[in-house]
Amino acid sequence: MSRGLGDVYKRQAVFRLTEHMERLVRGCKAYGIPLDYTVEELVDITISVVRENELHDGCYVRPLVFLGLGSIGLNPAGAATHVMVAAWEWGAYLGVVGVKHGIRGRVSSWRRINHESLIPSAKGTGGYLNSILAKAEAVAAGYEEALMLNSEGFLAEGSGENVFVINDGVVTTPPVSDGCLNGITRDSAITLLRSGGVEVREASLSRASLYYADEVFLVGTAAEVTPLREVDDRPIGDGKPGPITRMVQDGYADLVRGRIPEYDHWLTYVEAD
């Protein structure tokens, strides 16, 4: 099981570290992977990695729980569990220009894994093969990102991000039941929107909803808040990031840098004041 964590921001704080580790532990339980570490121990290990490597703003953290030596067959019983935490400097996942001006996306021919095949709500590395196929197809065709439908034809998510669609000032995002990850950045965006008085709905979305949208943006640990300016060669709105998208971008930047005091509990500081 893997979890990409939030960037390490100024003052060396990791964004929503405890929630990420809680989900990592839940994911291991869902896939039957024994894990002897507690959430608190995983948090402490991550903070040590960041501190000892003197990483600062723009650092990305990736914990990984995997099975080692054991049976060579498909039954993992008896295989030893290993845990690692890596961290490195990483810029904007979808590009600085994309964050500012928006990216081009396409609806993938590959469908999002469903609840009958894997566990979409758990970040199993094997599930990323599905995302890799979609992402590679989109990039080869000249787009920056893929949008994935589920087996029923409803919008699920990007190859590695949750998606938000805006019409007439109302924001809609697919429910977890449609196969998207219950993302922590997704939850942060919903919190920001609702605290700003914007109506947010969780409801199934058709492919056409992307074409009719006034604004569309993607959120994820690496992508943060990235606007879509075009999908399937159709401009979204006027082809520029809209006001609600900008509001979420600005609010998220304030959140992760500790500029909104009521959410300071979402930051785990590497060094005490």
Side-chain angles (χ1 to χ4, degrees):
M1 294 298 301
S2 71
R3 249 324 294 150
L5 300 189
D7 283 349
V8 179
Y9 297 98
K10 291 180 179 177
R11 289 185 61 199
Q12 285 187 287
V14 185
F15 185 62
R16 301 193 72 171
L17 175 56
T18 297
E19 291 95 327
H20 281 94
M21 289 307 186
E22 288 172 343
R23 189 171 64 191
L24 176 62
V25 171
R26 290 196 303 269
C28 288
K29 181 179 180 181
Y31 274 108
I33 300 175
L35 180 62
D36 292 333
Y37 290 92
T38 66
V39 169
E40 293 74 19
E41 288 171 330
L42 293 168
V43 167
D44 289 343
I45 291 167
T46 301
I47 292 301
S48 295
V49 170
V50 174
R51 181 191 301 117
E52 294 303 316
N53 287 280
E54 300 181 354
L55 297 168
H56 299 283
D57 197 16
C59 165
Y60 188 80
V61 181
R62 172 59 61 87
L64 183 68
V65 178
F66 61 98
L67 297 175
L69 292 177
S71 171
I72 200 170
L74 296 178
N75 181 6
T81 301
H82 299 272
V83 178
M84 59 160 280
V85 178
W88 62 92
E89 301 289 345
W90 198 11
Y93 173 62
L94 292 170
V96 174
V97 174
V99 171
K100 184 175 181 180
H101 298 292
I103 63 172
R104 299 176 67 240
R106 65 166 286 176
V107 174
S108 178
S109 67
W110 296 97
R111 295 297 177 103
R112 169 71 174 159
I113 53 175
N114 61 39
H115 298 277
E116 296 174 340
S117 302
L118 283 173
I119 308 174
S121 57
K123 299 272 288 189
T125 53
Y128 275 108
L129 288 172
N130 179 229
S131 297
I132 288 169
L133 289 169
K135 177 77 172 186
E137 176 187 64
V139 172
Y143 302 85
E144 284 88 14
E145 190 51 281
L147 284 303
M148 302 185 72
L149 308 179
N150 64 20
S151 56
E152 286 75 41
F154 292 114
L155 183 63
E157 61 177 31
S159 69
E161 311 88 11
N162 290 110
V163 58
F164 289 77
V165 177
I166 304 164
N167 263 311
D168 298 325
V170 177
V171 181
T172 305
T173 191
V176 175
S177 57
D178 278 354
C180 71
L181 182 74
N182 190 13
I184 292 171
T185 311
R186 173 183 183 268
D187 177 73
S188 302
I190 291 172
T191 300
L192 281 170
L193 287 161
R194 288 178 173 162
S195 66
V198 178
E199 182 180 353
V200 182
R201 301 173 181 171
E202 294 184 59
S204 296
L205 290 162
S206 68
R207 178 176 184 163
S209 65
L210 295 166
Y211 305 154
Y212 301 148
D214 299 323
E215 304 176 47
V216 179
F217 63 87
L218 303 172
V219 303
T221 302
E224 297 193 323
V225 182
T226 301
L228 272 173
R229 72 174 190 273
E230 181 183 300
V231 63
D232 289 348
D233 304 312
R234 296 164 174 84
I236 295 171
D238 62 2
K240 299 177 182 178
I244 293 179
T245 300
R246 291 302 191 203
M247 182 189 82
V248 179
Q249 282 186 317
D250 293 342
Y252 188 76
D254 288 338
L255 268 182
V256 299
R257 289 174 174 81
R259 296 196 286 259
I260 306 180
E262 57 264 44
Y263 295 107
D264 193 66
H265 62 281
W266 279 355
L267 297 173
T268 302
Y269 290 97
V270 175
E271 301 288 354
D273 287 339

